[in-house]
Amino acid sequence: NSTEFTITGFDHLSHQKLLGFLIFITYFLVILGSGTNICIILTDRRLHTPMYLLICNLAVVDIMFTSSTSTTMISVLLGEVKTISYYSCISRMYIYHLGDITECLALSLMALDRTIAIRTPLRYHSILTNPRLFLLITATWLLGLGVMGVLTAQADSLPYCQPIIRYVFCDYPAMVRAACVNPEPYWMFPTILGLWLIGAQFTFILLSYVNLIYTVVRLPNNESRVQVFNTCICHIIVVSCYFAPKLVSVLLTRIGVMLNLTERNALLIMATLLPSLINPTVYCLKTKEIRKRLVQIMYRKRTAVMK
């Protein structure tokens, strides 16, 4: 078995440094935005409510999800280090797919939270308490850890005699294609997992927000309608950014459009970096309490500097 892999997904690009710089800036903004959300929510006890704890959980997932891939791409493009050890590759594969699964489940929990808050506002705090929410969040992480344990064990059992990763970072499809086996039997479990994530979870989230929009339209008070709609639009933007690249990939495959390696890698990078960049930006700008707290912190620092 090979002890290291060579990542060749960027070899055909002519402006590798520029792409590496853009990925580095994006990664920096993800860490900055998600880290800001986490710090603001954890340090302000008034924000220790289900909605903000779910935002905090999503920020943790975004950091983990992006770090598993961005560090590899930055190392290849800017550091010109194209080799990665076997154990580092398989561990990053584990973290990457764990982040993907937990992000999908986190969005499902956020859709459930908004549904309960808007459909039954008087019973919201009695139905979705913080202890119950912690149990739900813990269950999503345990589910992700268990599923990825099975997937990683399957990848670890393969013989790797050609140490070439044709994609831009380590994920399950890249490792299966690098193995000296017929890859077809190893797609069944990921296919079932993808159908569950994109089919069941996306359908649940979509129906939840359709139900919410219907409820918002029926509100008699125009001011309440605008306030609730502004809350929902944040979640809709986040959900769209996460599922859009995946749905595009599935739809193109279903209609028979064959993407070349460059197009697949571009779609993969977009699906990894775009949601993690948009999520903290949306919640910082559109969520009143987080925005207000951020302005207060910046004002205090400015006052301290002036003094």
Side-chain angles (χ1 to χ4, degrees), residues 20 23 43 56 97-99 102 109-110 130 132 149 157 179 204-205 220 226 230 240 243 249 262 292-293 303 307:
I23 292 175
T43 56
C56 185
H97 289 295
L98 174 62
T102 50
L109 287 181
M110 296 176 86
N130 284 353
R132 288 176 181 173
S157 66
F204 169 74
I205 294 171
V226 171
N230 285 334
S240 300
F243 281 104
S249 179
T262 303
K292 181 180 177 181
R293 181 63 175 158
T303 305
K307 287 182 179 181

Side-chain angles (χ1 to χ4, degrees), residues 34 37-42 44-60 110 113-114 124-125 128 130 133-134 137 227 231 234-235 283-284 286-293:
S34 297
N37 278 349
I38 292 170
C39 292
I40 289 175
I41 292 170
L42 292 182
D44 192 342
R45 293 186 62 86
R46 293 171 298 178
L47 300 182
H48 292 180
T49 59
M51 187 182 83
Y52 291 101
L53 292 176
L54 287 170
I55 293 174
C56 185
N57 175 59
L58 185 64
V60 172
M110 296 176 86
D113 169 72
R114 289 300 85 202
Y124 171 67
H125 294 289
L128 197 61
N130 284 353
L133 182 66
F134 279 122
I137 292 175
Q227 183 179 0
T231 302
C234 297
H235 300 288
Y283 288 120
C284 274
K286 294 291 291 181
T287 307
K288 181 180 177 181
E289 287 76 8
I290 295 179
R291 186 175 67 247
K292 181 180 177 181
R293 181 63 175 158

Side-chain angles (χ1 to χ4, degrees), residues 122-153:
L122 298 180
R123 299 176 55 202
Y124 171 67
H125 294 289
S126 62
I127 296 174
L128 197 61
T129 61
N130 284 353
R132 288 176 181 173
L133 182 66
F134 279 122
L135 286 176
L136 290 173
I137 292 175
T138 303
T140 61
W141 280 88
L142 291 176
L143 181 60
L145 290 169
V147 169
M148 279 314 302
V150 175
L151 206 63
T152 304

Side-chain angles (χ1 to χ4, degrees), residues 19-36:
L19 178 59
F21 180 73
L22 292 175
I23 292 175
F24 175 78
I25 293 298
T26 303
Y27 179 53
F28 173 77
L29 293 175
V30 169
I31 297 296
L32 179 64
S34 297
T36 301

Side-chain angles (χ1 to χ4, degrees), residues 88-124:
S88 178
C89 188
I90 201 167
S91 62
R92 293 184 188 210
M93 180 207 78
Y94 182 94
I95 296 171
Y96 168 71
H97 289 295
L98 174 62
D100 200 13
I101 293 170
T102 50
E103 176 133 359
C104 181
L105 295 176
L107 294 176
S108 297
L109 287 181
M110 296 176 86
L112 176 65
D113 169 72
R114 289 300 85 202
T115 301
I116 296 173
I118 295 173
R119 294 287 294 180
T120 57
L122 298 180
R123 299 176 55 202
Y124 171 67

